[in-house]
Amino acid sequence: MAALETVSAEDLRHDLAEVDDADLVQRLMATITYKEINQLTQAETAKLYGFSST
């Protein structure tokens, strides 16, 4: 996912601190996890958080 590559985990954490929506918080957490744990694939990260990999 090319767009994801241009955003840092630090930027995502900043966004996380400013949101109130529980679904968005969970998606941001999943994205931060994916970016910080290099061994995880996008599909594995999605499964951890109960999302589909698409």
Side-chain angles (χ1 to χ4, degrees):
M1 179 176 277
L4 186 56
E5 297 303 320
T6 64
V7 179
S8 72
E10 186 174 327
D11 289 339
L12 293 168
R13 273 194 213 85
H14 181 269
D15 292 343
L16 182 62
E18 302 204 1
V19 297
D20 294 329
D21 182 84
D23 291 334
L24 184 53
V25 167
Q26 189 173 21
R27 289 186 183 278
L28 284 168
M29 290 297 298
T31 306
I32 290 167
T33 301
Y34 171 71
K35 292 203 55 88
E36 291 190 331
I37 302 177
N38 295 330
Q39 302 95 321
L40 288 179
T41 65
Q42 208 170 2
E44 291 168 332
T45 305
K47 186 175 179 181
L48 283 173
Y49 285 87
F51 298 130
S52 75
S53 61
T54 57

